[in-house]
Amino acid sequence: MEYFLQQLINGITLGSIYGLIAIGYTMVYGIIGMINFAHGDIFMVSSFIALIVITALGLTISTGLGLTILALILVLVTAMVIASVYGWTTERLAYRPLRGSFRLAPLITAIGISIVLQNYIQITQGARVKPLQPIIADGYTIMTRVDANGEFAVQISNMQILIIVVTIILMTIFSLIIAKTSLGRAQRACEQDRKMASLLGINVDRTISMTFVMGAALAAVAGLMFLLYYGVIDFFIGFVAGVKAFTAAVLGGIGSLPGAMLGGLVIGLIETFWSAYFSIEYKDVAAFSMLAIVLIFLPQGLLGKPEVEKV
């Protein structure tokens, strides 16, 4: 029971990171009906930006609590701003000029931007992994088991608490933005019918650009959380995390924000439990197999709505 609870905490933490990235995928797909395959690499770039700023500030585990909080806020804002610029640029270069073209054209361009970002980071930062010493340490012991095999403690670290709390807060904020604000209404209108939304006075180009910016900002948060949690990054993490997050978005129901978060949690839990109880080499096989099984019985995903074609 204790070992199961520990893996549950680890899986929720990993799933929260996947969910933050998946929201960016699902927001873009919900409006323009296309997948932004450069999104995972924007997550990767933002993690490198966070590492550079943390190194420049000299932030370490011995830094005082107040200074650490202020420094991390500065790191987060910097990463979000720069990642948002990358997201906006992706939309302007890969999607807007090709919006009226056949559907594969912007997809191919986005993959090209993904490759450019990977090689850009590889050239400027090197191909080796970049480590970061822990900044947020300590945690809490939930329960302890003592038996013939020794002592096992179920722990939740402060970093895991931070990731889960930040994910819940951001999920709530973005859901309220979509549901209650004028930007959210414009996004929902563009999702239903871009041409009609334009005729009604909505600036479709600006709305789509803002969606890319919001998705990139969320990817930046995920990038910082990933860096602080795992303490090691390289130029290839964007591809791996991007594929997992895309899988999470499809599993939860592409176009649904709660679905993206639910899909991220499911993928994170499957990977964690499979690695804990079975072979870690096949954790990706388990995650993608679950996706295939769900889509066989629920083609729209767990929380997605089936498309109704009007005649």
Side-chain angles (χ1 to χ4, degrees):
M1 179 62 186
E2 289 80 5
Y3 188 67
F4 175 86
L5 183 58
Q6 183 65 68
Q7 301 312 316
L8 180 64
I9 295 171
N10 297 339
I12 291 175
T13 305
L14 177 60
S16 298
I17 295 175
Y18 285 156
L20 286 176
I21 308 173
I23 290 176
Y25 280 110
T26 204
M27 287 178 66
V28 170
Y29 183 87
I31 289 186
I32 64 176
M34 296 179 184
I35 300 298
N36 177 17
F37 276 107
H39 187 66
D41 292 285
I42 292 176
F43 154 80
M44 177 268 297
V45 170
S46 66
S47 66
F48 272 91
I49 294 168
L51 176 62
I52 292 170
V53 177
I54 289 174
T55 304
L57 293 175
L59 189 60
T60 64
I61 195 172
S62 60
T63 307
L65 178 61
L67 288 177
T68 299
I69 293 174
L70 291 176
L72 288 179
I73 291 174
L74 176 61
V75 172
L76 180 60
V77 171
T78 304
M80 291 177 71
V81 170
I82 298 177
S84 298
V85 173
Y86 276 99
W88 180 83
T89 304
T90 300
E91 193 274 332
R92 290 302 299 264
L93 294 179
Y95 285 92
R96 186 178 298 186
L98 302 173
R99 200 175 294 160
S101 181
F102 64 100
R103 293 176 65 87
L104 281 179
L107 179 65
I108 294 171
T109 309
I111 293 174
I113 290 181
S114 171
I115 295 172
V116 168
L117 290 176
Q118 284 187 27
N119 285 273
Y120 165 68
I121 293 298
Q122 184 179 8
I123 292 172
T124 57
Q125 301 298 322
R128 294 184 177 181
V129 296
K130 302 295 181 182
L132 175 70
Q133 295 300 318
I135 294 175
I136 301 176
D138 300 328
Y140 303 92
T141 299
I142 300 175
M143 62 175 66
T144 303
R145 181 193 68 195
V146 180
D147 55 20
N149 297 322
E151 182 177 342
F152 182 83
V154 179
Q155 296 180 325
I156 181 169
S157 67
N158 290 329
M159 191 64 234
Q160 289 176 317
I161 295 173
L162 177 63
I163 291 173
I164 295 170
V165 170
V166 167
T167 300
I168 293 173
I169 292 173
L170 287 177
M171 182 67 199
T172 304
I173 291 174
F174 274 76
S175 296
L176 291 174
I177 289 175
I178 298 298
K180 302 293 185 182
T181 65
S182 57
L183 174 61
R185 287 191 293 271
Q187 288 175 323
R188 284 181 280 126
C190 292
E191 178 183 358
Q192 294 178 8
D193 192 327
R194 291 204 302 270
K195 185 175 292 186
M196 182 57 69
S198 178
L199 291 174
L200 293 175
I202 295 174
N203 190 328
V204 175
D205 288 339
R206 185 176 63 186
T207 302
I208 293 176
S209 293
M210 284 302 300
T211 303
F212 273 81
V213 167
M214 292 167 63
L218 277 175
V221 178
L224 175 60
M225 296 296 108
F226 185 93
L227 172 66
L228 294 176
Y229 185 56
Y230 289 103
V232 60
I233 57 175
D234 60 41
F235 72 97
F236 203 64
I237 62 169
F239 174 78
V240 177
V243 171
K244 300 287 182 61
F246 172 62
T247 303
V250 174
L251 179 63
I254 193 79
S256 168
L257 262 67
M261 186 55 64
L262 176 61
L265 291 174
V266 171
I267 295 295
L269 289 170
I270 290 173
E271 283 193 13
T272 302
F273 280 115
W274 189 275
S275 300
Y277 289 100
F278 301 102
S279 173
I280 191 173
E281 287 84 2
Y282 295 100
K283 62 185 178 68
D284 294 341
V285 175
F288 293 127
S289 298
M290 177 59 67
L291 171 67
I293 293 171
V294 170
L295 292 183
I296 288 173
F297 297 100
L298 292 172
Q300 71 274 14
L302 296 174
L303 298 182
K305 297 178 181 179
E307 292 187 4
V308 179
E309 185 175 350
K310 295 181 180 180
V311 179

